[in-house]
Amino acid sequence: MHSTCVEKVEKVGRVEANMAGSRRWQVSLDDDDGDGVGVRGKAPDVTDITPTHGAARRLAAFAASEEAAHPAITTPEQLESQARLQVLIESRAIWSAILGGALGLAFGLVVFPGERPALAGDGSIQFFGAIVGGVTAGLAFLLGFSLNTRMANIWLGERPRIRQLMDTVALLVVHSSIAVMGALGIFRVFQEAFVGLTVDYIAGSVLLAIGGAVAAYFSFNSGARINAFSLSTLLGVFMASGVLVSMLFAENPFWWHVMFSELGTGQAGLTSFWTFNTTLVVSGLIITTLTAFITRDLQIWAEHVRRRHLRRLRSERDLRRAAQGRVPRTMPLRHAVRRHFRSPRIGVVRTGMIGMGVSLVGVGLVPVNLHNEIHATFTALFGLFFLMLLVGMPYWLPGFPRAFFLLSMLSAGVLIFAASLWRPIGYYNLTSLELIGAAILFAWLIVFIRNIAAVVAQVYSQAAAEQESRRRGRAEAEPWSGDDWQEEEWSGEG
C-alpha cells in the first residue's frame, strides 16, 4: 500500500525518457479487445521513467503520460494536471507582464528625460509605445509558444524543423504586429480625445510600462494556449489590421477604384506597399499552420466515423448470413461503394487549405505591378481552392453536420453571385468583390472550426460513456470483498 502512495507522488517527475513513446500515441475508438479505447504505439512504462527538473517539465511529462494511458477519456489525474498547468501558465504570464513593464519603464526613462512627450506624433508615447509593445509581445509569445509545444501541443515540436521555423516566425510577426498596431491606434485615439495634452517623462515612462506589460501578458497567454479557434481569430485580426493600416497610409486616395492589390504597388507608397504584401505573406503562412490544427482534429473524428460505419457493415453482413445462410454476391460491391462515399477525405481538405495559404503567399510575393499574369493566377487559384472546399464539402467530409453542408453551399452560391455582379453585370468593382469574399471566408472558417470542435467533443464523450459502461459491467461481474475496500481506503489515506 505504501508503494502505491509513493508511485502517485513520483509520477509527476518520471516521464522524460519515455516521452517519445507517448507522443506517438493516437486516439482509436472501438478496438477489438473490448475496452473501448484503442491505441497505436508502445505504452510508456511509468516505472522506468527518469525524473526531470523544473515544474513545467514535470507537469508536461505527467500530462503526457496520463493522456497516453487514457487517450479517449479524461481521468482525475489528467484534470488535476491540466488545472496545475493552467495555474503555471497564468503565473508565468504575470512574470512576463512584470518584465515587460520593467522594460517599458526603463526604455521610457532613457528616451524621455527633459522632455514632455505628446500622446501621438513624432517622438511621442505612441511611437515608442509601439516599439516597446512589439518587442515585449514578440519575446513573451516565444516563451509562451515554447511552453505550449512542450506541454499542450507536443506534436507541434515533432514536425520538420523548417515548418517549425516558418510557423514560429509567422506567429511572432502576427503577435508583434498586433501589439504595434494596437499601440498606434490607442494612443492616436487618446490624442484626439485630449487635444494638445503632453505629459512629463515619468508619466510617459509609466505609460510605456503599462503598454509593455499588457502586450507581454496577452501574448504569453496566446502563445501558451494557442489552438485552432484562437489562431483563426488572430488571423482575422491581423489581416484586418494590416489591410486597414495599408489603406490609411496609401498615398493614392483613389486606390479603391481599382482593387485591393493596388495597395501592394509602389504607387500606393512605401509604407502601404510593405504593410500590405507582408500581411498577405504572413497570413498565408498562418493558414498553413491553422491547417495542421484542423486536420489533426479531423483525423480523430474521421477514425471514429470509419470504425462506426465498418461496424454497421459487419452487422448487416452477419445478419444476412444468419437469415439466408450465405452472403449475397453483390454485397461486397455495395459495401465497397458505401465505404467509399462514407469515408472522410481529410487529405483533400488539407490540400485545399494549404493551397489557399500558398496562393495567398504568392499574391503577396508577386505584386500586380511586378507581374500581372502571375499575380492574377495566384488570386484565381486561391478562389478555386476555396470553392472546391465549399462545393465538395459533403463529399470530402461525409458524416459532418448537415447544417454545415448547407452553409457551405450557400456560401458558394453567394460567392458566385457576387462574382457575377462584378462581371459580367458590372454592378460594382473588384474591390467590393474582394471585401465580400474575405467576409465569407472568415465567417465560414470560424463556423468550420467550431463544428470540428463539436464533433471531436462528441467523439470523446461517446468514448468516455462506453468506457464507463464497460467499467461498470466489469465491476458488477467481479465479486466484492472487504479486503478490496480496506486496501482502497488505506491507499486513499496515503
Side-chain angles (χ1 to χ4, degrees), residues 239-285:
M239 283 201 70
S241 302
V243 173
L244 181 61
V245 170
S246 300
M247 291 189 293
L248 293 176
F249 282 92
E251 296 180 1
N252 178 14
F254 301 105
W255 62 267
W256 56 272
H257 288 184
V258 187
M259 56 181 171
F260 270 99
S261 295
E262 189 71 15
L263 294 173
T265 64
Q267 298 177 355
L270 191 62
T271 302
S272 179
F273 168 81
W274 283 108
T275 303
F276 184 78
N277 291 320
T278 302
T279 299
L280 294 184
V281 172
V282 174
S283 298
L285 295 176

Side-chain angles (χ1 to χ4, degrees), residues 91-162:
S91 298
R92 295 198 173 184
I94 293 174
W95 277 110
S96 298
I98 293 174
L99 294 177
L103 179 62
L105 181 64
F107 190 67
L109 293 176
V110 171
V111 299
F112 286 150
E115 298 184 5
R116 292 188 61 85
L119 296 180
D122 296 335
S124 63
I125 300 174
Q126 177 196 48
F127 175 76
F128 293 110
I131 296 176
V132 171
V135 172
T136 56
L139 294 176
F141 163 75
L142 288 177
L143 295 175
F145 190 63
S146 174
L147 204 62
N148 192 335
T149 57
R150 292 184 290 114
M151 296 165 59
N153 296 306
I154 300 176
W155 58 274
L156 285 172
E158 297 177 341
R159 298 191 299 164
R161 291 297 178 88
I162 183 64

Side-chain angles (χ1 to χ4, degrees), residues 319-361:
L319 289 175
R320 188 65 63 88
R321 178 181 294 163
Q324 301 180 1
R326 63 183 181 85
V327 177
R329 296 180 179 179
T330 58
M331 180 171 285
L333 178 60
R334 285 188 283 114
H335 282 188
V337 173
R338 289 170 61 181
R339 281 198 304 269
H340 174 77
F341 286 101
R342 295 292 182 89
S343 297
R345 295 161 180 83
I346 311 302
V348 179
V349 177
R350 180 176 182 271
T351 301
M353 294 198 65
I354 290 179
M356 291 169 56
V358 173
S359 300
L360 195 59
V361 171

Side-chain angles (χ1 to χ4, degrees), residues 89 116 290 292 467:
I89 291 174
R116 292 188 61 85
L290 180 61
Q467 180 76 3

